Amino acid sequence: MPGENSGALSVLELLAADAPQGRYDALLAEVHATGAGEEALAELGRAVELARSVRAGTTRRKQREAALTALVDTAHDLTSPYDIDGLLRLITRRARRLLGFDMAWLSLSRPDGSAYVRTSEGETTALNVGLELGTGRGLGSIAQARRSPVWTADYLTDPSIAHAPGIDAVVEAEGLHAIIAVPLRRGDSSLGALYGSDRAVRQFTPDEIGIMLSLADLAAVAIGKARLLEQTRDEVTELEAFGSRTNTALTRVRYLWECHARLAGMVLDGAGLPTLARATADALDGVLQVRDPGGRPLTATGELPGLDEEAVTKAALQALTDRRPVRLPGDLWLAPVLAGAEDLGVLLLSASAPLAEEDVRLLQLAAQSVASLMLIQRGTAAAEGPVHDELLADLLERPHSVDLHLLERTRRLGIDLDRPHVVVVVRPEGGELGKAVAWASSYAYRAGGLKGVRRGCIVLVLPGDDASAAAHRVSGELSPLLGHAVSTGAAGPTAAPGEVARAYAEAVRCLDALTALDGVGGTASLRELGFLGLLLSADHDVESFIAATVGPVLEYDTDRLTDLTRTLEAYFASGASPTHAAETLHVHPNTVSRRLERIAELLGPHWQKPAQALEIQLALRLRKARTVLHDRRTAAQQAEQAG
């Protein structure tokens, strides 16, 4: 039988040997088998309980020491230069291994309060990473709102939690039960939450909660520093890029001024326009074309295929108005060539690469060099404005005394009045005559015509044979420049210098008719005014009016020996009734219908509209009256010859 103190000594020996729990139970059974007294057994039991308490305390201290060591290691690891994703993976891995969780994950919050799972470890499905947690749902939202740890022994059966279908689906798929969420606190805000979970129902110990909280605080600090480091790196990268761009810009600026100096030197050295264009194209690495104010190419360094001339014309007007280069689609640039207020043409550049701001500036400087060269080659163009005005005044005031000297003066300016020209009279309705006159000088030069000012209107003599089209072009370009519509009257074409005054008078009458007809801001020519144009015309050209109105029908009858003209006369005489017209012509109504369809093809679908129908009837009556008068005159002449 053991001595009095042998039992306690045995317990101490077991405690010192760090014996497993079963050895204590075996000692109690052995002493009980020896028949020891109740008092000895009680003392031995008390000693075993104390030993177990000491052993449990020692175990807890060892666990705390291990946890503290792990936290220190974690703090050391978190000071390493991780990127955000690498840092978050380290945090979740350390949380899972430190506390023996089956699964750990970490969520981050957005500025709007929503959150999502950024990284995870221990998962068995692909449902967790990227999961949207929303706002106010799940343990993480509660933990961040309370700024303290929140846990549950069995998540899916806990009614105190605001569940979300997406979160519950992942928890169920992973087979999770016990879950703890700890906020990642950063000052007064929260960066997200750190989670740990087991696939069994259990409670979390205070030590586990404390370790998770310490780990989350360390993680929050590390995440904040990592974000600051990334922001700093981004700023450093941006500064480096800015420095590189600055150096590049300075290099381009130096290159720009060197090129400009070279171009200016070429102008002063007497270089020709092709040489200057080639130097500009080489400096800008593209194909350059120089055009005069009329849009005609003066020189080019290569081909510019596929140009949209309408877009180029609009861009030229915009560049002239804004006095700066304009970009067109396809890395095509247009720069105005200006000398004061005078338009000398444009530069068209097809660049091989997008132009930088410095390149656009160089293009503008090149246009100035081209303008200087043009002025040197042909003298100061600004002095030609009064010359144009004087020439036009002579043509209008002395139409019957045009001498060779006047014709020679016009030819020196590149204007041949023996070719067809039209006259356009423009009246600005907004009282901005000065601005309109400045524009007219440029337009007349570009078009190769003459410009003058009479009776508060601008007078333009322009090459061409379509007065209506010329008037519309003038109105279409000047109206946007002034910001309001202008009224235009046009007449022509002329075939000789002496006819300019007559065309001017007809254009003025068209403008006056436009005003009388309440058409201010519109465009009118003799052709557009129809029979009113016939009345306003100085020579009352009946033949031209008939040809313009029913000419296609007359030609069709002559070529095919048909009766469309008679059908038209019968149709209008019968009140526009095909049936009555058929009776008059002694043909079937279907024949009249087919003839009317043919007439519609020749005169257009609107030939029966009141305005056009009126002109058609007038043309038919004039033709019939002319035929009757001609027959009578012929008969009288034959009678005189017979007598």
Side-chain angles (χ1 to χ4, degrees):
M1 177 176 175
E4 181 177 346
N5 296 322
S6 60
L9 182 59
S10 298
V11 171
L12 289 174
E13 289 175 348
L14 292 176
L15 184 60
D18 196 17
Q21 190 69 30
R23 293 288 300 278
Y24 291 94
D25 295 336
L27 177 62
L28 286 173
E30 180 182 347
V31 173
H32 189 274
T34 61
E38 291 183 1
E39 184 177 351
L41 289 174
E43 289 180 355
L44 181 60
R46 176 61 177 165
V48 169
E49 290 298 326
L50 291 174
R52 287 175 174 172
S53 177
V54 171
R55 185 175 182 275
T58 302
T59 301
R60 286 196 298 272
R61 283 194 296 275
K62 289 181 178 179
Q63 289 176 343
R64 288 194 184 98
E65 290 175 359
L68 181 59
T69 301
L71 285 174
V72 172
D73 292 340
T74 301
H76 180 269
D77 291 340
L78 293 179
T79 60
S80 300
Y82 290 96
D83 59 13
I84 290 292
D85 288 329
L87 179 62
L88 298 182
R89 285 193 296 269
L90 173 66
I91 294 170
T92 53
R93 184 182 305 113
R94 189 58 58 89
R96 179 171 176 250
R97 295 180 181 178
L98 185 61
L99 297 172
F101 291 134
D102 290 329
M103 183 175 170
W105 66 94
L106 188 146
S107 68
L108 292 180
S109 299
R110 299 188 180 95
D112 62 359
S114 63
Y116 67 99
V117 176
R118 181 68 176 265
T119 185
S120 177
E121 182 165 308
E123 70 274 10
T124 60
T125 69
L127 301 176
N128 196 35
V129 176
L131 176 67
E132 290 289 338
L133 303 179
T135 56
R137 299 284 181 174
L139 290 179
S141 296
I142 301 174
Q144 292 184 73
R146 297 179 181 177
R147 297 181 57 77
S148 62
V150 178
W151 65 92
T152 178
D154 193 355
Y155 180 87
L156 292 177
T157 61
D158 193 336
S160 65
I161 300 172
H163 289 266
I167 301 175
D168 289 1
V170 174
V171 171
E172 184 176 1
E174 292 286 353
L176 302 178
H177 290 279
I179 302 177
I180 180 173
V182 182
L184 302 177
R185 296 173 297 193
R186 179 69 170 167
D188 295 333
S189 61
S190 177
L191 304 178
L194 177 63
Y195 299 79
S197 180
D198 282 334
R199 293 186 172 91
V201 178
R202 74 174 182 89
Q203 297 291 335
F204 292 96
T205 67
D207 288 342
E208 290 175 324
I209 297 172
I211 292 172
M212 279 287 287
L213 190 57
S214 298
L215 184 60
D217 288 341
L218 287 174
V221 173
I223 291 173
K225 290 185 176 180
R227 286 181 172 177
L228 181 59
L229 179 60
E230 285 194 353
Q231 181 181 354
T232 303
R233 287 174 177 171
D234 292 342
E235 291 176 354
V236 170
T237 302
E238 178 61 26
L239 287 174
E240 291 176 349
F242 177 76
S244 177
R245 291 195 299 269
T246 302
N247 290 333
T248 302
L250 289 174
T251 302
R252 292 294 300 168
V253 168
R254 286 195 296 268
Y255 177 72
L256 181 151
W257 288 111
E258 290 173 359
C259 291
H260 182 219
R262 185 165 62 252
L263 294 177
M266 294 173 66
V267 172
L268 295 177
D269 291 341
L273 189 59
T275 303
L276 189 62
R278 170 57 62 186
T280 302
D282 292 342
L284 294 170
D285 191 20
V287 177
L288 185 74
Q289 184 183 85
V290 183
R291 294 188 174 191
D292 67 6
R296 294 177 292 270
L298 299 176
T299 187
T301 63
E303 295 293 329
L304 292 177
L307 285 180
D308 185 349
E309 292 297 339
E310 183 177 354
V312 170
T313 302
K314 292 181 179 178
L317 177 59
Q318 180 183 347
L320 176 64
T321 303
D322 298 342
R323 304 180 68 85
R324 60 178 177 80
V326 173
R327 183 179 181 180
L328 286 81
D331 286 324
L332 184 68
W333 285 83
L334 186 147
V337 180
L338 299 169
E342 185 178 1
D343 173 23
L344 300 179
V346 296
L347 301 185
L348 272 175
L349 175 71
S350 177
S352 59
L355 296 188
E357 183 178 351
E358 295 81 8
D359 298 322
V360 178
R361 178 60 177 160
L362 177 57
L363 178 62
Q364 191 170 13
L365 293 174
Q368 293 178 3
S369 298
V370 171
S372 300
L373 178 61
M374 288 181 173
L375 290 178
I376 291 174
Q377 289 180 338
R378 71 176 181 85
T380 304
E384 293 185 357
V387 176
H388 284 207
D389 291 350
E390 292 174 3
L391 288 175
L392 183 57
D394 289 343
L395 289 172
L396 297 181
E397 294 171 3
R398 297 186 292 126
H400 303 296
S401 59
V402 177
D403 54 18
L404 294 177
H405 178 65
L406 178 62
L407 297 179
E408 181 61 27
R409 289 164 60 197
T410 59
R411 290 194 178 96
R412 280 202 304 267
L413 295 175
I415 301 172
D416 184 5
L417 292 177
D418 289 327
R419 295 172 53 195
H421 280 69
V422 297
V423 177
V424 179
V425 180
V426 186
R427 183 177 63 215
E429 300 297 346
E432 300 183 37
L433 185 60
K435 189 175 182 180
V437 170
W439 168 87
S441 298
S442 171
Y443 189 83
Y445 180 83
R446 284 184 282 139
L450 296 173
K451 177 271 302 180
V453 179
R454 298 177 73 84
R455 295 171 53 190
C457 297
I458 297 170
V459 182
L460 295 170
V461 178
L462 306 171
D465 54 10
D466 191 336
S468 178
H472 281 283
R473 284 195 298 270
V474 168
S475 177
E477 186 169 324
L478 181 56
S479 294
L481 182 64
L482 299 180
H484 55 77
V486 296
S487 301
T488 57
T494 65
E499 297 181 8
V500 172
R502 175 189 59 80
Y504 166 72
E506 291 182 353
V508 170
R509 285 196 290 271
C510 288
L511 186 60
D512 292 341
L514 189 68
T515 304
L517 294 172
D518 197 21
V520 174
T523 298
S525 65
L526 294 178
R527 186 182 67 187
E528 290 173 321
L529 291 175
F531 69 90
L532 288 177
L534 176 65
L535 298 176
L536 294 171
S537 175
D539 54 8
H540 304 294
D541 190 354
V542 175
E543 183 70 29
S544 296
F545 175 74
I546 295 174
T549 307
V550 294
V553 174
L554 300 177
E555 293 176 2
Y556 192 91
D557 281 347
T558 302
D559 295 340
R560 293 170 175 78
L561 301 178
T562 54
D563 286 328
L564 298 185
T565 304
R566 288 184 59 229
T567 303
L568 262 180
E569 293 172 342
Y571 176 74
F572 284 118
S574 63
S577 170
T579 302
H580 294 162
E583 294 175 355
T584 301
L585 297 171
H586 304 290
V587 297
H588 195 275
N590 289 341
T591 301
V592 174
S593 297
R594 287 194 297 272
R595 290 178 180 177
L596 294 178
E597 291 175 359
R598 178 65 65 184
I599 291 171
E601 294 176 2
L602 296 172
L603 300 182
H606 304 298
W607 70 275
Q608 296 188 72
K609 295 291 184 180
Q612 189 173 354
L614 176 61
E615 293 192 358
I616 292 173
Q617 294 179 68
L618 178 59
L620 292 174
R621 288 180 177 273
L622 287 173
R623 176 180 174 274
K624 189 172 183 178
R626 186 186 61 179
T627 301
V628 170
L629 293 175
H630 179 269
D631 291 344
R632 289 179 179 175
R633 186 164 54 251
T634 302
Q637 291 174 352
Q638 291 176 350
E640 290 178 2
Q641 292 174 357

